[in-house]
Amino acid sequence: MKPTTLRKTLLGLLTGATILASAGIAQAADITLKVSHYLPPSHGFQKDFLENWGKELSEKTNGKVEVKIFDATSAFGKIDRQADQVRAGVMDMAVGLNGIPRDRYPAASIIEMPFLVKHADSGSETLWQLYKEGLLGSDYQDFKVLGLFTHEGGLIHTLDTPVRSLDDLKGLRLRTPSPAVSAMLESLGASPVGLPPSAIYENLQKGNIEGLVTTWDLVNAVKANELLKYHTDAAAYTAGFYFVMNQKKYDSLPEDVRAAIDEISGDSLVVKFGDWWNKWEAAGKADAEKHGNEIIKIDDATRAEWQASVQPMIKEYLASLKEKGVSDPEAIYKRAQELNAEFDAKYHAGDK
């Protein structure tokens, strides 16, 4: 072989080795982030929210980051462990329900006051703005908060007793998602029962509960429309949710990855929940209609009467939050009312 040819061959081999080595380094630098939630893999939390969020993060980091999702069917899907798993570093991120375990986020529970929130877009942006204004105190202090949101105004779903008036609630055993909603139910004469979503169907079937307060979306997700007969649409309450990340994990990531996470979270994420909940609620309502269930719509005048009846309960609940470390719950509630009204005017001024 001629010297020139030999030199070219050696250079080619060296160049190839360099490229392979670089590819190996890039592969070794890939990042997998683990996120958990407590609902089935078919739920919108995964299909619309987390899968798209993960895809967007991968695109913005040129494939450097992969997001791996652990749903309710996994060992990491217990509803009461979502935040604790993130705090311990078992999960990098999680989506959870504020009210389970109870009293974990007392200031944030103010968004769940009865008849405050009718729409997921307004409720979500109100809760997020309260956080941004520093009004939620030490709630979420251990985390990098990626987003906070609420669902649509919740319904009362029952097996055999149609709820057309407040008197119809008296004595009913109803599944509740949070302490705030439990307080509302107790004030109206019902008996709240705390259950994770995975236990709803079985307890309805056995008669341990006579109904539940939740969204169209959840009764559909747990197949409860097969058993339920009545759905009272009073937009009586909402529940708050969190999307949080382990702070140390976030701090350990490369700057460009942190920037990408920030770009697709917070304001740009929270604004999406209104449309998502509309989609999820529509599917749940359609499923109830398919089963021939009766939908009882509470008019605005009756809703206002119901709202007036729970004012003593709201006052008492806010006062109780002071014992849980919330310095001025009345001021937070007032600000929540102002913000929610502003967002309702922005998004729903033309609603009938």
Side-chain angles (χ1 to χ4, degrees), residues 255-286:
E255 183 178 354
D256 63 324
V257 175
R258 296 199 306 272
I261 290 173
D262 291 345
E263 185 179 350
I264 65 173
S265 303
D267 292 349
S268 63
L269 172 63
V270 171
V271 74
K272 297 178 180 180
F273 282 101
D275 287 341
W276 282 338
W277 277 112
N278 286 339
K279 174 183 175 181
W280 303 337
E281 290 291 272
K285 183 178 181 181

Side-chain angles (χ1 to χ4, degrees), residues 123-132 145-148 266-267 270:
S124 297
E125 294 210 48
T126 295
L127 181 57
W128 182 241
Q129 186 63 31
L130 291 174
Y131 173 75
K132 291 201 300 180
V145 182
L146 303 178
L148 302 173
D267 292 349
V270 171

